[in-house]
Amino acid sequence: MGKTVHHRSDAALGRRGFMRKLGAVGLGLAAARVTLAADDERRTLSFVHTHTGERLTAVYYAAGGYSAEALQQVNVLLRDFRDNTVFPIDPKVLDRLFLLQSECGGSEPFQVISGYRSSTTNAALRAKSTGVAEHSLHMEGRAIDVRLAGVATAELARLALLQSSGGVGFYRVSDFVHVDTGRVRSWGDPIDS
Ligand SMILES: [Zn+2]
């Protein structure tokens, strides 16, 4: 009897061990698939700057990482066009735009109203209009003001809010959306009016 119990126990253990092994193999395959997807992924963004007229299409993420070369091209396009200061733009800002573009579909470039702003420019803008923050995230390369041809700006703002991954400001009259990588918050005109 004791022997039988012993054998059963062995068999049960063996089966459990086998299942564990299967599970591990399954997980390994899943992980491999995820890695492949990440390695394959390319994130492309197109811009046209409304003030300078400059255009850029950049594959800013490929082969599992951000492209330093493409990011530099983006930094130049998104420079402070008033005093030509180039500043590194937070790639997470680009990711927010990339997600918006993916959700909206189409291949129209983002129309850039404002990217990086030097402290001098920010102070000058603040002096002549309300609604410019004293410590704007534009001064840290962590904010951008855009619109997208073919997509209502209110819709763009709504989608940006759904991302829940930073700030969103909606400016109906000026017709642009501000997105940044600061804390999740929103301001500006009501989206549903
Ligand atoms: Zn802004």
Side-chain angles (χ1 to χ4, degrees):
M1 281 300 277
K3 202 179 175 192
T4 310
V5 169
H6 183 92
H7 277 164
R8 252 187 215 150
S9 166
D10 266 3
L13 269 177
R15 210 162 32 241
R16 271 203 298 275
F18 181 63
M19 292 307 282
R20 254 202 306 277
K21 227 178 202 168
L22 266 185
V25 169
L27 281 176
L29 283 176
R33 263 198 304 275
V34 167
T35 306
L36 270 180
D39 280 352
D40 270 3
E41 191 189 351
R42 288 160 65 85
R43 299 179 200 159
T44 306
L45 277 175
S46 294
F47 297 104
V48 54
H49 200 293
T50 59
H51 293 276
T52 64
E54 291 171 27
R55 289 175 174 271
L56 173 70
T57 294
V59 182
Y60 74 95
Y61 182 102
Y66 293 103
S67 156
E69 193 185 330
L71 289 182
Q72 183 54 21
Q73 292 175 330
V74 170
N75 295 344
V76 169
L77 185 113
L78 298 181
R79 72 188 180 278
D80 184 325
F81 67 92
R82 292 177 177 89
D83 65 13
N84 276 324
T85 317
V86 177
F87 190 88
I89 300 297
D90 180 358
K92 301 289 177 211
V93 172
L94 306 182
D95 284 339
R96 293 205 67 182
L97 294 183
F98 178 74
L99 282 174
L100 283 174
Q101 176 99 65
S102 309
E103 284 163 8
C104 294
S107 55
E108 290 294 329
F110 276 102
Q111 300 174 18
V112 179
I113 289 89
S114 185
Y116 170 68
R117 276 183 216 150
S118 69
S119 52
T120 313
T121 293
N122 200 70
L125 289 175
R126 234 171 100 72
K128 65 178 181 193
S129 75
T130 55
V132 177
E134 185 174 4
H135 300 290
S136 162
L137 288 176
H138 285 278
M139 293 159 64
E140 297 178 24
R142 297 175 60 199
I144 191 165
D145 299 337
V146 290
R147 68 175 77 97
L148 191 56
V151 180
T153 309
E155 174 65 3
L156 200 59
R158 191 185 67 79
L159 291 170
L161 276 175
L162 285 176
Q163 291 181 340
S164 295
S165 61
V168 179
F170 175 44
Y171 298 82
R172 182 177 291 279
V173 174
S174 305
D175 192 30
F176 70 79
V177 179
H178 163 114
V179 293
D180 65 45
T181 58
R183 66 198 163 69
V184 175
R185 66 218 190 284
S186 64
W187 65 91
D189 295 304
I191 285 168
D192 294 314
S193 66

